[in-house]
Amino acid sequence: MAEFKIGTQQAGSIQNADQIQNHHPPNPSGQFSGRFPEQLEALRTLVERAVLSRDLDRVTGTRVAAAIDAATVETQAPAPRFERVLAALSDAEVIAASVPAPAVAAAIDGVITTLTG
């Protein structure tokens, strides 16, 4: 039986490659780069507008906004976890998809795509 040994540096490279392959890019700095926080803020504003225009009922809008807020809070944590942000946004997408508000669901999908690459 062959024996394989991997050094620490190689193991990190393999883990990062696996995360990228599975659409979970590594986040070595612990910060979300680019315009991602701005996208979350714009998404929250879109939900508020959809509620005001009655394209989205208040109860559903509150649930979607809460999920977006959870993602925002996680991105601002000292050691944010990618999985938690993605889970919160996925929850928001599922909630928005349950009502006839395609613009909100499409916007959430766009933010998720930005996050996952």
Side-chain angles (χ1 to χ4, degrees):
M1 177 182 244
E3 187 175 317
F4 295 97
K5 293 184 180 181
I6 309 175
T8 304
Q9 185 175 14
Q10 290 171 321
S13 297
I14 291 169
Q15 181 182 10
N16 287 345
D18 182 52
Q19 289 172 336
I20 291 168
Q21 179 67 28
N22 291 310
H23 305 288
H24 298 290
N27 191 2
S29 66
Q31 300 297 321
F32 287 86
S33 61
R35 296 183 9 171
F36 188 71
E38 294 169 2
Q39 286 182 313
L40 289 176
E41 185 177 323
L43 186 57
R44 181 68 158 82
T45 301
L46 175 68
V47 170
E48 290 172 1
R49 287 185 193 153
V51 169
L52 289 174
S53 68
R54 298 182 195 259
D55 290 336
L56 192 61
D57 67 85
R58 186 165 302 282
V59 172
T60 304
T62 300
R63 291 176 59 211
V64 172
I68 294 167
D69 291 345
T72 302
V73 167
E74 184 62 31
T75 62
Q76 296 168 352
R81 294 187 54 200
F82 174 84
E83 296 82 12
R84 288 184 181 176
V85 174
L86 185 58
L89 290 174
S90 295
D91 288 347
E93 185 176 35
V94 168
I95 295 165
S98 70
V99 295
V104 174
I108 295 169
D109 184 56
V111 174
I112 290 173
T113 300
T114 297
L115 180 62
T116 59

